């Protein structure tokens, strides 16, 4: 029973750490002004072609979160389709965006995706020594023979960059990580919430 309890405790701790998305770092240009709500922000996710569903989710949920804050945000995939910019040069692509009244572009790039292997020993450390010789001895004698277990988790690394289309200036950059999402849709929701929260914190977006 003791061994089962320790394993369950470990699983609970891992469950709390898993399925999370967090901003690891972000940067805002010193001269970047707060975005105006009447300006148009295009969200453009750059992910492998085979992950089109993920692209759609990342764009749609991020645009929706910006809309919830009162901003005019749209998905590149919905606005132009999957292949609109593939064969375009820079000037042609910018003209296309400007023709759709886009003021800023928020790119979302999947920098890395990988699996991590973690080993959890069959015990959790606590300072048992002060309880006396025998409790200390029996504790460690038993746990040395308690098997641990191996778990695998999936980690996504993302980078978001917000550009002003007219000047070409990078206004904001954010790096984030997602661990073991139960679904790509859930990951996209959490990503959107955390990034928009960080943009608000850095005063790029209005608080209400």
């Amino acid at each position: 029973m003791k061994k089962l309890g320790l394993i369950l405790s470990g699983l609970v701790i891992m469950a709390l750490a898993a399925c999370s998305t967090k901003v690891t770092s972000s940067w805002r240009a010193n001269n970047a002004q707060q975005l105006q709500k009447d300006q148009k922000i295009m969200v453009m996710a750059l992910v492998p072609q085979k992950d089109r569903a993920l692209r759609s989710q990342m764009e749609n949920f991020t645009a929706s979160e910006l809309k919830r804050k009162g901003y005019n945000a749209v998905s590149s995939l919905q606005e132009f389709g999957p292949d609109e910019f593939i064969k375009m040069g820079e000037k042609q692509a910018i003209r296309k965006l400007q023709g759709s009244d886009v003021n800023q572009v928020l790119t979302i790039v999947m920098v890395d995706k990988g699996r991590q292997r973690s080993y959890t020993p069959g015990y959790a450390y606590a300072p048992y020594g002060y309880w006396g010789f025998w409790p200390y001895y029996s504790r460690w004698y038993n746990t040395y023979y308690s098997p641990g277990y191996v778990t695998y988790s999936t980690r996504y690394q993302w980078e978001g960059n917000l550009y002003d289309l007219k000047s070409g200036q990078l206004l904001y950059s954010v790096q984030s990580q997602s661990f073991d999402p139960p679904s790509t849709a859930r990951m996209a929701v959490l990503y959107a919430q955390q990034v928009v929260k960080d943009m608000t914190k850095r005063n790029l977006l209005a608080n209400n």
Side-chain angles (χ1 to χ4, degrees), residues 6-16 149 151:
L6 291 169
I7 292 175
L8 290 175
S9 296
L11 289 173
V12 168
I13 292 171
M14 292 187 67
L16 291 174
Y149 54 93
T151 57

Side-chain angles (χ1 to χ4, degrees), residues 67-88:
K67 286 178 182 176
R68 194 178 67 82
K69 297 279 291 181
Y71 287 86
N72 179 19
V74 295
S75 158
S76 168
L77 189 61
Q78 287 192 349
E79 193 98 343
F80 294 117
D83 305 319
E84 183 70 18
F85 298 99
I86 291 178
K87 295 182 180 180
M88 287 187 185

Side-chain angles (χ1 to χ4, degrees), residues 16-46:
L16 291 174
C19 306
S20 65
T21 294
K22 63 179 181 180
V23 170
T24 56
S25 63
S26 66
W27 170 89
R28 174 182 178 271
N30 291 332
N31 62 342
Q33 302 296 313
Q34 190 174 90
L35 302 184
Q36 302 301 306
K37 292 187 176 182
D38 60 341
Q39 294 184 340
K40 190 174 183 179
I41 306 169
M42 175 157 289
V43 183
M44 185 179 293
L46 307 176

Side-chain angles (χ1 to χ4, degrees), residues 1 4 8 15 20 29 44 53 63-64 72 76 108 122 165 190 195 198:
M1 289 296 291
L4 178 60
L8 290 175
S20 65
M44 185 179 293
S64 294
N72 179 19
S76 168
I108 304 172
L165 197 59
L190 293 175
V195 168
D198 188 71

